[in-house]
Each structure stands twice: as structure tokens, then as C-alpha cells.
Amino acid sequence: MSRVKRGVTSRAKHNKVLKAAKGARGRQKNTIRVARQRVEKNLQYAYRDRKQRKREFRSLWIQRINAGARNNGLTYSQLMAGLREAGVELDRKVLADIAVREPESFANLVEQARKALPAGAKEDSSAGRGAM
């Protein structure tokens, strides 16, 4: 049986890890044992943050829609309920984009939502806040 020398394979595996650890500070980028730990932790962060990115964007879209809705005299929840009643099926990403880039079109959507709302929900809820 012939002898197997593993230096090339080990070096390739090490280089793969060290390449993934580029950008880290100190020994984390050039010592294989520490670099392996850094790469593993980075992969955990990447997995977690792929989920968080979705949450953060949805939150941003809701803030933008709310700002546009309040500029037109409705709250976010009233706007979304009105759009649902009116049968407008735009997702939050598109609504936020319209609110930022095309305020006139967004105002038309707010009007559609306002018309679809029941009569009692159309009044601005901030009017009674100072009574307490």
C-alpha cells in the first residue's frame, strides 16, 4: 500500500478558512485555530442576520407608510384596514416606495382607503388625546 501525504489537503483546508476570516482583527485572521472559531461565529451571525434583515425592512416600510398616512390625515392601522376593505392588494414594500417617491399617488390610495372605511373610523384619533 502506498503512503498518503496530506500536506496539500490540509493546506487547502487551512487556506479556505483563512480566506473566510479575512477582515478580522489580530490573530483571528492568520492563526488557523482562532480563525476557525471566528469563521464559525461569523456564519452564526450571518444566519441570524438574514432573519433580522427581513424584520428590519418590514419595520422601516411600516414607518414610511405611517408617516405618509399621517400626512394625509389617517393612521397606519386605519389606512391598512381601509385598503383591505377597498380591495387594494399592495404589499408594504410597494406602499412604502409609493409613499416616498410618489406622494400624489399615495394620497389617492389614502382617499380610496378613507372611502372604504366605516363612518366612525374616519375621524382623527389624536383629537381626544389631550383630555387626560
Side-chain angles (χ1 to χ4, degrees), residues 3-51:
R3 177 174 172 219
V4 176
K5 296 171 74 176
R6 297 180 52 224
V8 176
T9 313
S10 296
R11 171 61 56 191
K13 283 169 65 176
H14 286 186
N15 284 341
K16 185 174 149 185
V17 170
L18 291 172
K19 183 179 178 191
K22 272 227 179 354
R25 298 178 68 160
R27 286 179 20 182
Q28 294 176 341
K29 70 178 174 291
N30 52 22
T31 306
I32 189 63
R33 186 177 295 183
V34 185
R36 192 173 286 132
Q37 293 172 353
R38 173 52 37 207
V39 168
E40 191 172 315
K41 191 67 171 177
N42 287 345
L43 292 172
Q44 289 174 357
Y45 287 143
Y47 177 82
R48 178 197 70 189
D49 292 342
R50 281 194 296 274
K51 313 287 182 250

Side-chain angles (χ1 to χ4, degrees), residues 7-111:
V8 176
T9 313
S10 296
R11 171 61 56 191
K13 283 169 65 176
H14 286 186
N15 284 341
K16 185 174 149 185
V17 170
L18 291 172
K19 183 179 178 191
K22 272 227 179 354
R25 298 178 68 160
R27 286 179 20 182
Q28 294 176 341
K29 70 178 174 291
N30 52 22
T31 306
I32 189 63
R33 186 177 295 183
V34 185
R36 192 173 286 132
Q37 293 172 353
R38 173 52 37 207
V39 168
E40 191 172 315
K41 191 67 171 177
N42 287 345
L43 292 172
Q44 289 174 357
Y45 287 143
Y47 177 82
R48 178 197 70 189
D49 292 342
R50 281 194 296 274
K51 313 287 182 250
Q52 282 187 350
R53 184 188 325 141
K54 294 168 181 62
R55 288 181 223 147
E56 289 168 2
F57 268 106
R58 182 183 170 97
S59 174
L60 175 67
W61 298 332
I62 288 172
Q63 290 170 24
R64 287 179 174 175
I65 295 167
N66 191 20
R70 287 181 186 271
N71 284 341
N72 289 290
L74 280 183
T75 64
Y76 170 79
S77 59
Q78 290 170 337
L79 172 69
M80 295 310 280
L83 290 176
R84 198 174 307 114
E85 290 294 320
V88 177
E89 293 185 7
L90 293 174
D91 62 2
R92 286 167 180 82
K93 180 179 179 179
V94 174
L95 280 173
D97 194 50
I98 293 171
V100 171
R101 296 174 192 260
E102 301 174 25
E104 306 84 24
S105 303
F106 191 75
N108 292 338
L109 286 171
V110 171
E111 252 337 284

